[in-house]
């Protein structure tokens, strides 16, 4: 569903991604782990079009998308839930979700009705968001805001979702809640590329994983394979 080949990207003259390749098959959860500064966030940005790659291919559902604008890539089916849960605090939970539908649905007659069926789908997945639909997003807990950010990305009905460090800055009990949310996404069959600092937890939900070092993939395999790799064990899972 998502194929990345020999991707190079960076900031100004410093190249951060130095030939990264990975694959996310339909209906699977793939984890991207690695030390701080390895280039995980840069990978997400280069795939979603937030940052223009200098070389390489990004293929989404059979279509080359590298070099296209982020908004175009989003319309072609890639949702990017960036680091830091950027929900709109003063807006209600429901309005935050509806914002996620605008990218896809033209605002002509029938928008509300179609958005309504998308809303119902999100509320079914996250009943907590339905309970809090009329509350402003700023009053939610950190874990609920993360759930909302994910729900908003799902409103666009993406083919692939990129989820960048969803547990960042959250207290440990909330982190567990976020991983429960990710498990729900997996059960719902959402295709997901997950960047996580909590490598252990990420490998518990993932079907496949890539370990990134200095701008490229150093090791990849199923979680069971990575657990058997001495170097991965001591560097990332110790
Ligand atoms: P972290 O877990 O700390 O977010 P990461 O693996 O996601 O790490 P990136 O954020 O992709 O790593 O950063 C990779 C490298 O690119 C780092 O050396 C970082 O300093 C550099 N970098 C990141 N963002 C920028 C930017 N906007 N401008 C210049 N350099 C940047």
């Amino acid at each position: 569903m998502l194929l990345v080949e020999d991707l190079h990207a960076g900031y100004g003259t410093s190249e951060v991604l130095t030939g990264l390749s990975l694959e996310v098959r339909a209906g699977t959860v793939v984890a991207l782990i690695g030390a701080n500064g390895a280039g995980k966030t840069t990978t997400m940005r280069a795939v979603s079009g937030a940052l223009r790659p200098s070389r390489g291919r990004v293929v989404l559902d059979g279509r080359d998308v590298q070099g296209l604008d982020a908004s175009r890539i989003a319309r072609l089916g890639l949702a990017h839930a960036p680091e830091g849960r950027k929900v709109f605090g003063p807006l209600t939970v429901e309005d935050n979700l509806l914002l996620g539908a605008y990218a896809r649905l033209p605002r002509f007659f029938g928008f509300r009705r179609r958005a309504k069926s998308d809303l119902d789908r999100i509320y079914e997945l996250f009943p907590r968001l339905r309970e809090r639909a009329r509350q402003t997003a700023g009053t939610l807990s950190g874990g609920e805001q993360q759930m909302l950010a994910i729900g908003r990305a799902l409103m666009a009905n993406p083919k692939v979702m990129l989820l960048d460090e969803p547990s960042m800055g959250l207290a440990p009990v909330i982190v567990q809640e976020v991983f429960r949310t990710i498990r729900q996404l997996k059960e719902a069959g959402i295709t997901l590329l997950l960047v996580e600092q909590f490598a252990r937890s990420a490998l518990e939900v993932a079907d496949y994983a890539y370990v990134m070092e200095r701008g490229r993939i150093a090791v990849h395999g199923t979680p069971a394979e990575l657990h058997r790799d001495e170097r991965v064990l001591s560097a990332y899972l110790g």
Side-chain angles (χ1 to χ4, degrees):
M1 185 55 84
L2 176 70
L3 185 69
V4 176
E5 271 178 5
D6 193 33
L7 198 64
H8 291 247
Y11 306 95
T13 54
S14 80
E15 191 172 63
V16 175
L17 304 183
T18 56
L20 177 131
S21 301
L22 57 79
E23 187 186 350
V24 183
R25 302 211 173 141
T28 65
V29 174
V30 171
L32 181 61
I33 62 179
N36 282 349
K40 303 181 297 296
T41 296
T42 304
T43 303
M44 297 297 216
R45 300 189 65 222
V47 168
S48 70
L51 181 71
R52 198 175 283 261
S54 56
R55 213 168 101 195
R57 280 179 88 205
V58 178
V59 184
L60 174 66
D61 197 17
R63 179 171 182 158
D64 277 318
V65 298
Q66 74 281 355
L68 299 182
D69 283 349
S71 59
R72 188 80 210 290
I73 297 178
R75 277 197 302 278
L76 290 170
L78 189 98
H80 183 193
E83 269 180 335
R85 312 183 284 288
K86 297 194 179 70
V87 299
F88 297 96
L91 298 185
T92 64
V93 165
E94 185 147 310
D95 283 341
N96 267 275
L97 289 173
L98 286 171
L99 279 175
Y102 276 103
R104 186 173 53 95
L105 299 175
R107 269 139 280 175
F108 53 71
F109 180 71
F111 167 80
R112 284 225 151 242
R113 188 166 39 82
R114 283 164 64 189
K116 173 87 174 53
S117 76
D118 289 335
L119 268 179
D120 284 340
R121 194 166 46 81
I122 303 300
Y123 287 151
E124 234 162 77
L125 195 58
F126 304 128
R128 188 103 53 94
L129 294 183
R130 191 198 296 275
E131 287 162 25
R132 308 229 188 283
R134 310 266 163 252
Q135 238 170 275
T136 57
T139 63
L140 300 181
S141 73
E144 289 166 347
Q145 288 189 16
Q146 184 60 65
M147 200 183 270
L148 177 56
I150 292 172
R152 189 179 56 197
L154 287 177
M155 281 292 285
N157 225 340
K159 294 175 177 149
V160 179
M161 178 148 155
L162 308 183
L163 195 50
D164 197 354
E165 303 248 4
S167 65
M168 190 162 79
L170 297 175
V173 298
I174 313 277
V175 170
Q176 287 176 21
E177 189 180 312
V178 169
F179 274 99
R180 268 199 297 281
T181 303
I182 295 170
R183 253 182 226 107
Q184 282 171 278
L185 297 178
K186 182 186 169 106
E187 280 156 23
I190 310 281
T191 306
L192 193 65
L193 177 60
L194 168 70
V195 162
E196 250 306 327
Q197 48 173 333
F198 290 105
R200 251 178 203 290
S201 310
L203 290 189
E204 274 168 26
V205 291
D207 298 294
Y208 202 80
Y210 291 86
V211 180
M212 199 171 173
E213 280 172 13
R214 290 180 305 277
R216 58 173 69 195
I217 301 302
V219 190
H220 55 99
T222 62
E225 284 163 350
L226 294 187
H227 277 288
R228 283 195 297 271
D229 185 313
E230 285 299 329
R231 217 173 55 82
V232 173
L233 259 182
S234 66
Y236 303 103
L237 303 171

